[in-house]
Amino acid sequence: MGCGGAVGGGGERMEEEEAGASTSTSSSSSPPPPPIAQLGYDQVLSILRLLPPEAVLSFAATCRAFRAWASSDALWEALCRRDWGARAAAALAERRRDRHGGGGGGLQAPWRRVYAEVARLGALSARRVPVRGASPRPRASHSLNLVAGWLVLFGGGCEGGHHLDDTWVAYAGTGAGNRPPAILSWQQLASGTPGGRFSHSCTLVGDTLVLFGGITDQGQRLNDTWIGQIICEEHRRIRISWGLLEVGPLAPPPRGAHAACCVDDKFIVIHGGVGLYGSRLGDTWLLDLSNGLQSASWHQIGNTWPLPPPRSGHSLTWIGGTRMVLFGGRGSEFEVLNDVWLFDISDQYPKWKELKYDLSSALGELPFPRVGHSAILALGGKVLVYGGEDSQMRRKDDFWILDTPALLQYESGSKKMTKKMWKKLRIDGQCPNYRSFHGACVDTSGCCVYIFGGMVNGLVHPAEAWGLRFDGHLYQVELLLHL
């Protein structure tokens, strides 16, 4: 059974291969059936569920009988659940029902088509979310998370160079089949704990927030670690119980504008940032949460060559398993970067690997260098990169996807995948304008992204610094899938 040839979602290629296969099997001197044909249907499906989609399509192209087995809706639903997670698959199943009346009156898109739609994603739909009542103050370098169906916004910097210590929440739905409200209502929670800051990280571990570091008005760099427990109350209200995490004598040096991500709800990894005296950092630290949030401890991950150059304002995104992707940022010489690094913590000695590509063959397929962008893991193993600014503070409004399956194939030595690693997406609707240092988060389905605030382009007034203007709008961006 071959594992190459067809490409995920490549319907026309599969039809051609299939036509040739069925012609050859109709000859008078048919070869004896392969051993796999002697297996039962359920046995074959159990094998196919373990294969990558490309291998399933290659199997389907072998002959007409195999095509029927490999086109099973139950098989492709299982592949969706395996590759995207149960919650994302449940959200997509609900969307399919919504599109066709919910009562089975219309023909739902088969799961194989759903998989193909996600694989060839080329567009997003966007809208500015109307807000009822009071709203958070315009800001940048804040944190925005979606936890237990609630948007949680904390801190940031605002006009006048001041930091903020306020926390705002708004119910946006769980994403598991529940459509988000058309109009959101923000609620302000108690302020002052943790202390005000900007350029911190706030990472989601299950339904708990873990906040680290940041910078104050006076330029003080912080290295405290806080745990925020979400407590849901009646009548769609929540509160957050913050507590300082005791991590012992060892902690990362103080910093802000670092990158952070959570790995499988067991570890938090931070990298780089702006340290004391404005120096760019290049160290990597891991917060071990495998024994629970009350016994967590920091330790530095050893420097094994090669290493990403020191930087700040970059992104670090978990892509499943023990791997993360680092992208962009501002280097020690204030240069703005667009390099891509893969980080794997599975071995005793975690390793960085730069994914270098031939620029001559990838021209037009790579995002420009940027700092202050967002990068989140969306449905289908796609790292969605938005916005940021270049070395001249020219902000961007473009959306790119870094395709994780293509990235891992390239990392394993398949150079032909270069052009498929990056893709620029089309935006339909109310596209968020040019911005940097905004907040972004994704719902549990991986289909819906929320973006708030940031520094944006605008008219310059005599009293404000050139180009320094803050935004206070909330946008909702969804993957455009034709189901």
Side-chain angles (χ1 to χ4, degrees), residues 90-113:
L92 282 174
E94 187 69 25
R95 177 178 293 196
R96 290 163 76 229
R97 286 192 289 271
D98 289 345
R99 292 286 174 88
H100 299 280
L107 183 64
Q108 295 182 9
W111 280 102
R112 179 175 166 182
R113 178 181 164 189

Side-chain angles (χ1 to χ4, degrees), residues 32 52 121 150 164 200 217 242 260 273 330 363 378 403 428 438 470:
L121 174 71
W150 290 85
L164 298 164
H200 55 282
D217 286 358
W242 287 102
R330 188 187 303 277
L363 191 62
D403 190 79
D428 294 343
H438 49 279
F470 297 89

Side-chain angles (χ1 to χ4, degrees), residues 70-382:
S71 299
S72 161
D73 207 46
L75 167 64
W76 284 95
E77 181 179 4
L79 294 179
C80 291
R81 292 183 180 277
R82 180 197 69 186
D83 293 350
W84 306 337
R87 288 190 293 186
L92 282 174
E94 187 69 25
R95 177 178 293 196
R96 290 163 76 229
R97 286 192 289 271
D98 289 345
R99 292 286 174 88
H100 299 280
L107 183 64
Q108 295 182 9
W111 280 102
R112 179 175 166 182
R113 178 181 164 189
V114 174
Y115 204 108
E117 279 288 315
V118 174
R120 60 175 172 247
L121 174 71
L124 304 169
S125 64
R127 72 181 183 104
R128 182 189 292 181
V129 181
V131 173
R132 181 185 296 113
S135 297
R137 186 174 178 179
R139 66 192 67 202
S141 299
H142 49 288
S143 58
L144 183 69
N145 298 90
L146 186 60
V147 49
W150 290 85
L151 288 168
V152 179
L153 184 153
F154 171 76
C158 64
E159 188 176 352
H162 301 298
H163 70 241
L164 298 164
D165 65 353
D166 53 347
T167 302
W168 292 77
V169 298
Y171 187 73
T174 62
N178 295 337
R179 301 299 295 168
I183 301 176
L184 265 63
S185 298
W186 288 103
Q187 306 168 28
Q188 185 173 6
L189 304 185
S191 301
T193 304
R197 64 194 70 197
F198 60 91
S199 295
H200 55 282
S201 62
C202 191
T203 311
L204 189 61
V205 182
D207 284 343
T208 301
L209 298 169
V210 180
L211 185 147
F212 173 78
I215 306 174
T216 69
D217 286 358
Q218 295 75 32
Q220 179 187 6
R221 274 64 168 168
L222 305 172
N223 69 338
D224 46 351
T225 307
W226 292 81
I227 298 293
Q229 301 282 358
I230 305 297
I231 302 171
C232 296
E233 300 177 334
E234 295 181 355
H235 308 299
R236 287 236 169 127
R237 299 191 69 86
I238 69 165
R239 59 188 177 91
I240 304 177
S241 176
W242 287 102
L244 191 62
L245 182 64
E246 296 294 337
V247 296
L250 186 63
R255 70 191 65 207
H258 51 281
C261 69
C262 177
V263 178
D264 200 23
D265 286 346
K266 296 178 182 177
F267 309 100
I268 288 177
V269 177
I270 68 167
H271 176 270
V274 180
L276 300 176
Y277 313 110
S279 61
R280 292 320 189 265
L281 303 173
D283 53 347
T284 306
W285 290 74
L286 185 146
L287 180 65
D288 189 347
L289 303 168
S290 56
N291 294 322
L293 293 172
Q294 304 309 316
S295 59
S297 59
W298 285 103
H299 68 266
Q300 186 172 4
I301 297 178
N303 293 335
T304 56
W305 190 88
L307 293 171
R311 66 191 67 204
S312 64
H314 51 303
S315 59
L316 187 67
T317 311
W318 179 54
I319 58 172
T322 56
R323 288 168 161 166
M324 292 144 273
V325 170
L326 181 152
F327 173 68
R330 188 187 303 277
S332 297
E333 302 299 322
F334 297 95
E335 75 278 18
V336 177
L337 308 165
N338 69 338
D339 51 346
V340 178
W341 291 76
L342 189 66
F343 187 44
D344 193 340
I345 61 172
S346 60
D347 297 333
Q348 181 181 0
Y349 301 102
K351 289 181 286 190
W352 288 98
K353 182 175 182 179
E354 184 177 7
L355 301 182
K356 297 181 180 179
Y357 23 68
D358 182 1
L359 293 178
S360 63
S361 64
L363 191 62
E365 300 289 334
L366 300 175
F368 291 113
R370 63 194 64 210
V371 58
H373 56 280
S374 57
I376 58 176
L377 185 65
L379 180 67
K382 301 178 187 302

Side-chain angles (χ1 to χ4, degrees), residues 431-444:
C431 177
N433 54 6
Y434 299 81
R435 70 187 60 220
S436 58
F437 297 98
H438 49 279
C441 61
V442 65
D443 71 356
T444 54

